């Protein structure tokens, strides 16, 4: 079975506000606000290019493939709160 692909809503679906090292994200489609830290904003930005697997996303973020399991777990957490979805 192929690795799942993850995607995000278009940029206009999120309102971002920097808060002293954190980021407040207002997700317009759900009406929910999330307070996140790095690397969540970077993950969301990298997924704006197109849907991809955790391994491919890790390459976009770091240039390496080691550690994709940890990133996959983080993507599943973001999926659970509605900030990413499976494409």
């Amino acid at each position: 079975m192929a690795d799942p692909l993850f995607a995000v809503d278009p940029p206009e679906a999120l309102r971002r506000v920097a808060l002293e090292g954190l980021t407040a994200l207002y997700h317009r489609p759900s009406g929910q606000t999330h307070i996140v830290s790095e690397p969540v904003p970077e993950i969301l930005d990298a997924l704006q290019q197109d849907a991809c697997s955790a391994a491919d996303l890790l390459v976009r973020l770091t240039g390496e493939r080691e550690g994709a399991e940890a990133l996959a777990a983080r993507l599943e957490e973001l999926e659970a709160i509605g900030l990413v979805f499976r494409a």
Side-chain angles (χ1 to χ4, degrees):
M1 183 168 129
D3 290 338
L5 300 180
F6 293 91
V8 293
D9 291 318
E12 58 272 8
L14 280 181
R15 172 81 167 106
R16 296 180 186 205
V17 177
L19 301 169
E20 298 182 24
L22 299 173
T23 302
L25 299 173
Y26 175 65
H27 186 243
R28 289 183 170 121
S30 69
Q32 293 184 332
T33 300
H34 306 278
I35 306 296
V36 300
S37 62
E38 292 182 355
V40 173
E42 292 80 4
I43 290 170
L44 299 177
D45 289 342
L47 285 172
Q48 283 299 320
Q49 296 175 27
D50 60 4
C52 66
S53 68
D56 290 338
L57 180 59
L58 189 62
V59 171
R60 285 183 192 176
L61 292 169
T62 67
E64 299 179 16
R65 285 205 175 268
E66 297 298 318
E69 298 82 16
L71 183 56
R74 177 58 62 95
L75 287 167
E76 288 175 6
E77 292 169 0
L78 294 174
E79 181 182 28
I81 63 171
L83 292 177
V84 303
F85 58 89
R86 292 180 192 234

